Amino acid sequence: MIIQPLNEQHLSVMMAIEVSANAFPWSEQNMSSCFGARYFHFGMFDQAQLVGFYIAEMAGPDFTLMDIGVHPQYQGKGIASQLMAHLVEQSQTRGAENIFLEVRASNQAAIHLYNKVGFCEMGIRKNYYPAATGNEDAILMGLPFNPFAM
Ligand SMILES: CC(C)(COP(=O)(O)OP(=O)(O)OC[C@H]1O[C@@H](n2cnc3c(N)ncnc32)[C@H](O)[C@@H]1OP(=O)(O)O)[C@@H](O)C(=O)NCCC(=O)NCCS
């Protein structure tokens, strides 16, 4: 397995992973809008097969993890943990002071993953996401690289 940069040519495979891994996946239009100078993207490859990816946005010193996903057949093998470690390293190299993200309150796998990397809960957005019945809260999480400067 190897982590490599992604570009728009990987969009359809990223979307296939997105759709297979999420009950409420991003649209292709949404994902397509996350290519450009403001973003960076990396994927985990098993031979030539993309099996997981992340997308990050850079806004000055504040970076955002826009999306991360691992194909269901490859989940539970530490792939997202490796991708998150890569995101942290890339963000520090690119001058980030913080990484932020939003996650569904019910997404225990992702929340566990983010806590493991060092993200802390910073707030709640009530009823932010559509859910099977009604709406669901988003938890805002952050990872400051120099917490004493905040
Ligand atoms: C969240 C996701 C990326 C994790 O990918 P993964 O490759 O399976 O993650 P890892 O194997 O690196 O496991 C990460 C940690 O989460 C834990 N975990 C995995 N599934 C879990 C679950 N259902 N409940 C609680 N913890 C879980 C693992 O045990 C591991 O923790 P550990 O190292 O302390 O044992 C994957 O489940 C996914 O693609 N989900 C759908 C997309 C999604 O929710 N993205 C996040 C959007 S904010």
Side-chain angles (χ1 to χ4, degrees):
M1 298 252 194
I2 183 167
I3 297 177
Q4 291 188 313
L6 301 176
N7 57 47
E8 264 183 291
Q9 291 180 349
H10 296 104
L11 180 61
S12 59
V13 196
M14 292 166 75
M15 272 308 297
I17 294 171
E18 173 73 12
V19 168
S20 66
N22 290 282
F24 295 91
W26 281 21
S27 68
E28 184 159 340
Q29 191 183 12
N30 211 349
M31 194 174 285
S32 165
S33 72
C34 288
F35 284 87
R38 220 166 69 231
Y39 300 92
F40 60 97
H41 329 68
F42 281 87
M44 181 71 81
F45 287 82
D46 182 6
Q47 311 283 351
Q49 181 66 42
L50 181 68
V51 299
F53 68 87
Y54 74 81
I55 303 174
E57 181 187 31
M58 301 175 282
D62 295 329
F63 286 25
T64 300
L65 174 62
M66 302 297 292
D67 196 12
I68 183 168
V70 173
H71 191 283
Q73 285 176 2
Y74 284 83
Q75 289 179 8
K77 300 177 190 293
I79 290 174
S81 302
Q82 290 181 60
L83 288 170
M84 288 300 296
H86 191 276
L87 165 70
V88 169
E89 182 203 303
Q90 278 289 314
S91 299
Q92 287 182 306
T93 302
R94 292 166 188 255
E97 291 176 10
N98 308 283
I99 310 177
F100 299 108
L101 61 84
E102 284 152 10
V103 58
R104 285 177 182 267
S106 66
N107 193 344
Q108 287 308 313
I111 292 168
H112 180 89
L113 171 72
Y114 302 144
N115 279 325
K116 201 174 79 162
V117 182
F119 281 80
C120 297
E121 185 175 324
M122 304 185 81
I124 303 243
R125 286 202 173 138
K126 292 300 278 179
N127 299 320
Y128 185 73
Y129 293 112
T133 52
N135 288 76
E136 171 174 11
D137 296 347
I139 299 179
L140 302 180
M141 301 185 82
L143 176 64
F145 289 126
N146 184 2
F148 301 111
M150 287 187 88

